[in-house]
Amino acid sequence: MAGIDCSTQSTKVVVREAGSGTLVAKGRAPHPAGTEVDPACWWEALDRAASGLLGQVSAVSVGAQQHGMVCLDDRGEVVRPALLWNDTRSAGAAADLTAELGGPAAWAEAVGSVPLASFTVAKLRWLADHEPELAGRVALVVLPHDWLTWRLAGRSMPPVTDRGDASGTGYWSPRAGCYRRDLLALAFGRPLDVPDVAGSSAVVATTGAGGPGGLPPGVAIAAGTGDNMAAALGVGAGPGDVVVSVGTSGTIFAVHAAAVADASGTVAGFADATGRFLPLVCTLNAARVLETVAGLLGVDLAALDDLALSAPAGAGGLTLLPYLEGERTPNRPDAAGVLAGLRGDNLSPANLARAAVEGMLCGMADGLDALRAFDVEVRRVLLIGGGARSRAVRAIAPAILGAPVTVPPPSEYVADGAARQAAWALGGGDEPPGWEIGTGTMWEADPDPAVRSAYAELRDAAPAGSARPRPAAPDHEEGAA
């Protein structure tokens, strides 16, 4: 079984045995930096990452970054570079759409989520408003995983999606299980075609000729899903599990039996990839905060860990509000970071390193609290993502999150979840196959309410916007890639 993870920064491929989930092979290739990208770059990265790995696989599935807007014309050609989830130029469009339907509660009731700059629905409004000539060419809008699945099939069928990824568009209702085409037309100004929504365990097509990495024709293709839904599958999350993923963004999500509708917009009421639901909170600023502060201090991430762990809890009074890229939760796309509590006796590399870890984790702890407010059961917290490799993050997380933390063995859990879905599609059954992921390590610490309190005080006092101007959106010639 092959699983593909097309993330923001790279493509990862894993090959696993269908019955046991044992890892057979894996590969990786980077993506271009930025908040928009030609989808052809994903295909090229997949070809490099999968080189020589896929010749004997029986099924394949794609998990990919949510929300990305891939616009196709009536010939199936890409109209413009895809706007990714972390492109915030559509913040104004999200606010306009929220008001036009009657406010946040109306959106939460309609589709389980309130529009944010990251959602596809807001990006479509931005395109219609700012690039009308390109918008006029758009016939179909798909998501990154939809586009890759379609390419794997040799473009021999109309694109398809799944309920998990569809639930992040802002125009598909998890509770009703259908598109809200009226909201899509509200956003874009006219109707658009969208992919059919396949069942979580469906085989949607077979691979065409000329597949990436030596993938032969005739291989079963599963429905695929969004990256967070795939990660839940990969880590084996079930009811009572909350996954805290420290990657480019921070995500806090849980497998839940009921659809969630949060009028505040903090919790996105997504569907998962098994027929259940995946209420989720996302922060824009996660592992990149650690990388940025490490760069500022002139150290690598291992040395940043050493510094952070040498400082006291509370960082000697330093508090970092880490809105380095704006923020999604709370919804402050134009905000900037704030470092508070500076004094002559506490401004040290160790305290700054500690404040970076604590500030990042406090944002994620707010997300965990938001899930608890919707009666999401928290029996265990699973810490995954690149940031989970940090010794400082593992040690400090239980005190900030207020719960013991289990760190599963390092793995590419989005790609693993896609591979597990591929095995499910090929083997059938009511549930995905039960793969053993290995014994995790538990980290415990007493809760530290003082750190959370200092962070909350700074968060609530900070301005929603920033004196720093946001970069202007780049111009595009029609058909530019």
Side-chain angles (χ1 to χ4, degrees), residues 39-40 43 146-155 157 208-212 221:
W43 187 254
D146 312 340
W147 187 83
L148 283 166
T149 300
W150 181 59
R151 285 295 306 269
L152 287 172
R155 299 172 39 147
M157 57 162 205
I221 305 173

Side-chain angles (χ1 to χ4, degrees), residues 69 121 134 209 346 408 458:
M69 181 187 73
V121 70
L134 291 178
N346 70 0
L458 179 59

Side-chain angles (χ1 to χ4, degrees), residues 320-404:
L320 177 65
L321 190 68
Y323 297 170
L324 307 185
E325 306 292 333
E327 189 45 78
R328 169 171 164 171
T329 304
N331 184 26
R332 299 180 184 177
D334 295 321
V338 179
L339 181 64
L342 294 170
R343 297 192 307 270
D345 60 355
N346 70 0
L347 185 54
S348 68
N351 282 334
L352 181 55
R354 180 88 184 201
V357 176
E358 290 179 344
M360 180 197 73
L361 287 170
C362 280
M364 305 187 86
D366 285 350
L368 186 59
D369 289 347
L371 293 183
R372 288 188 176 109
F374 281 90
D375 297 324
V376 172
E377 184 181 10
V378 184
R379 286 204 303 262
R380 64 172 180 166
V381 174
L382 299 168
L383 187 67
I384 65 171
R389 301 187 183 103
S390 161
R391 290 177 292 112
V393 169
R394 294 195 298 261
I396 296 169
I400 303 300
L401 299 179

Side-chain angles (χ1 to χ4, degrees), residues 104-135:
W107 278 94
E109 178 63 26
V111 292
S113 301
V114 179
L116 298 171
S118 54
F119 285 15
T120 322
V121 70
K123 298 181 188 306
L124 286 168
R125 168 58 68 87
W126 181 91
L127 177 63
D129 285 348
H130 291 84
E131 298 179 349
E133 291 186 7
L134 291 178

Side-chain angles (χ1 to χ4, degrees), residues 198-437:
S200 299
S201 62
V203 173
V204 299
T206 58
T207 55
L215 181 66
V219 173
I221 305 173
T225 193
D227 54 356
N228 295 299
M229 297 78 193
L233 276 177
V235 79
D241 291 334
V242 176
V243 180
V244 175
S245 178
V246 186
T248 304
S249 63
T251 49
I252 308 94
F253 53 90
V255 176
H256 197 48
V260 168
D262 180 7
S264 77
T266 300
V267 179
F270 295 154
D272 80 344
T274 71
R276 301 179 180 87
F277 300 90
L278 199 79
L280 178 147
V281 180
C282 180
T283 67
L284 283 183
N285 299 280
R288 190 173 294 167
V289 175
L290 308 184
E291 295 165 1
T292 300
V293 173
L296 174 66
L297 296 175
V299 300
D300 61 17
L301 290 173
L304 187 80
D305 282 344
D306 292 338
L307 287 168
L309 292 172
S310 73
L318 284 187
T319 302
L320 177 65
L321 190 68
Y323 297 170
L324 307 185
E325 306 292 333
E327 189 45 78
R328 169 171 164 171
T329 304
N331 184 26
R332 299 180 184 177
D334 295 321
V338 179
L339 181 64
L342 294 170
R343 297 192 307 270
D345 60 355
N346 70 0
L347 185 54
S348 68
N351 282 334
L352 181 55
R354 180 88 184 201
V357 176
E358 290 179 344
M360 180 197 73
L361 287 170
C362 280
M364 305 187 86
D366 285 350
L368 186 59
D369 289 347
L371 293 183
R372 288 188 176 109
F374 281 90
D375 297 324
V376 172
E377 184 181 10
V378 184
R379 286 204 303 262
R380 64 172 180 166
V381 174
L382 299 168
L383 187 67
I384 65 171
R389 301 187 183 103
S390 161
R391 290 177 292 112
V393 169
R394 294 195 298 261
I396 296 169
I400 303 300
L401 299 179
V405 167
T406 297
V407 182
S411 193
E412 298 292 352
Y413 283 111
V414 174
D416 292 345
R420 189 177 177 213
Q421 187 190 46
W424 186 20
L426 199 63
D430 294 332
E431 295 288 337
W435 288 356
E436 181 61 51
I437 68 168

